[in-house]
Short mmCIF file of all heavy atoms in Angstrom, two decimals:
data_model
loop_
_atom_site.label_atom_id
_atom_site.label_comp_id
_atom_site.label_asym_id
_atom_site.label_seq_id
_atom_site.Cartn_x
_atom_site.Cartn_y
_atom_site.Cartn_z
N ASP A 135 -4.33 16.55 -16.76
CA ASP A 135 -5.13 15.39 -16.90
C ASP A 135 -4.21 14.26 -17.41
O ASP A 135 -2.97 14.45 -17.71
CB ASP A 135 -6.24 15.67 -17.94
CG ASP A 135 -7.46 14.81 -17.62
OD1 ASP A 135 -7.29 13.70 -17.07
OD2 ASP A 135 -8.59 15.25 -17.93
N TRP A 136 -4.71 13.08 -17.61
CA TRP A 136 -4.07 11.89 -18.10
C TRP A 136 -3.49 12.11 -19.53
O TRP A 136 -4.18 12.66 -20.37
CB TRP A 136 -4.95 10.71 -18.08
CG TRP A 136 -5.32 10.18 -16.67
CD1 TRP A 136 -6.38 10.37 -15.95
CD2 TRP A 136 -4.38 9.37 -15.84
NE1 TRP A 136 -6.31 9.76 -14.79
CE2 TRP A 136 -5.10 9.09 -14.73
CE3 TRP A 136 -3.08 8.84 -16.01
CZ2 TRP A 136 -4.54 8.32 -13.69
CZ3 TRP A 136 -2.63 8.01 -14.98
CH2 TRP A 136 -3.31 7.86 -13.86
N LYS A 137 -2.27 11.63 -19.73
CA LYS A 137 -1.73 11.50 -21.07
C LYS A 137 -1.49 10.02 -21.32
O LYS A 137 -0.99 9.28 -20.44
CB LYS A 137 -0.49 12.28 -21.20
CG LYS A 137 -0.64 13.84 -21.02
CD LYS A 137 0.70 14.53 -21.16
CE LYS A 137 0.57 16.03 -20.98
NZ LYS A 137 1.89 16.75 -21.07
N GLU A 138 -1.88 9.54 -22.49
CA GLU A 138 -1.74 8.12 -22.72
C GLU A 138 -0.79 7.84 -23.99
O GLU A 138 -0.78 8.60 -24.96
CB GLU A 138 -3.09 7.48 -23.04
CG GLU A 138 -4.06 7.68 -21.84
CD GLU A 138 -5.13 6.62 -21.84
OE1 GLU A 138 -5.14 5.68 -22.68
OE2 GLU A 138 -6.03 6.66 -20.98
N ILE A 139 0.00 6.84 -23.83
CA ILE A 139 0.94 6.38 -24.86
C ILE A 139 0.46 5.05 -25.34
O ILE A 139 0.51 4.01 -24.62
CB ILE A 139 2.41 6.27 -24.35
CG1 ILE A 139 2.80 7.65 -23.75
CG2 ILE A 139 3.32 5.78 -25.41
CD1 ILE A 139 3.98 7.54 -22.92
N VAL A 140 -0.05 5.02 -26.65
CA VAL A 140 -0.51 3.76 -27.23
C VAL A 140 0.66 2.76 -27.49
O VAL A 140 1.71 3.18 -28.00
CB VAL A 140 -1.29 4.03 -28.53
CG1 VAL A 140 -1.73 2.73 -29.16
CG2 VAL A 140 -2.45 4.92 -28.19
N ASP A 141 0.50 1.56 -27.15
CA ASP A 141 1.51 0.53 -27.33
C ASP A 141 2.85 0.91 -26.72
O ASP A 141 3.95 0.68 -27.22
CB ASP A 141 1.77 0.32 -28.83
CG ASP A 141 0.51 -0.42 -29.47
OD1 ASP A 141 -0.28 -1.00 -28.78
OD2 ASP A 141 0.30 -0.13 -30.80
N GLY A 142 2.77 1.53 -25.57
CA GLY A 142 3.94 1.89 -24.78
C GLY A 142 4.63 0.72 -24.09
O GLY A 142 5.78 0.83 -23.74
N LEU A 143 3.94 -0.41 -23.99
CA LEU A 143 4.46 -1.65 -23.44
C LEU A 143 4.64 -2.67 -24.56
O LEU A 143 4.04 -2.66 -25.55
CB LEU A 143 3.48 -2.18 -22.40
CG LEU A 143 3.20 -1.33 -21.19
CD1 LEU A 143 2.11 -2.00 -20.33
CD2 LEU A 143 4.51 -1.01 -20.36
N ALA A 144 5.62 -3.56 -24.30
CA ALA A 144 5.88 -4.56 -25.27
C ALA A 144 4.96 -5.71 -25.14
O ALA A 144 4.81 -6.48 -26.08
CB ALA A 144 7.37 -5.02 -25.07
N ALA A 145 4.44 -5.98 -24.00
CA ALA A 145 3.51 -7.16 -23.68
C ALA A 145 2.31 -6.64 -23.01
O ALA A 145 2.21 -5.51 -22.43
CB ALA A 145 4.29 -8.22 -22.92
N ARG A 146 1.19 -7.44 -23.06
CA ARG A 146 -0.03 -7.14 -22.38
C ARG A 146 0.26 -7.24 -20.91
O ARG A 146 0.84 -8.24 -20.41
CB ARG A 146 -1.13 -8.19 -22.76
CG ARG A 146 -1.48 -8.14 -24.21
CD ARG A 146 -2.50 -9.24 -24.54
NE ARG A 146 -2.03 -10.62 -24.26
CZ ARG A 146 -2.46 -11.36 -23.23
NH1 ARG A 146 -3.39 -10.85 -22.40
NH2 ARG A 146 -1.99 -12.57 -23.14
#
Side-chain angles (χ1 to χ4, degrees):
D135 210 331
W136 288 101
K137 296 179 181 178
E138 300 206 4
I139 302 166
V140 177
D141 296 335
L143 299 175
R146 299 179 297 110

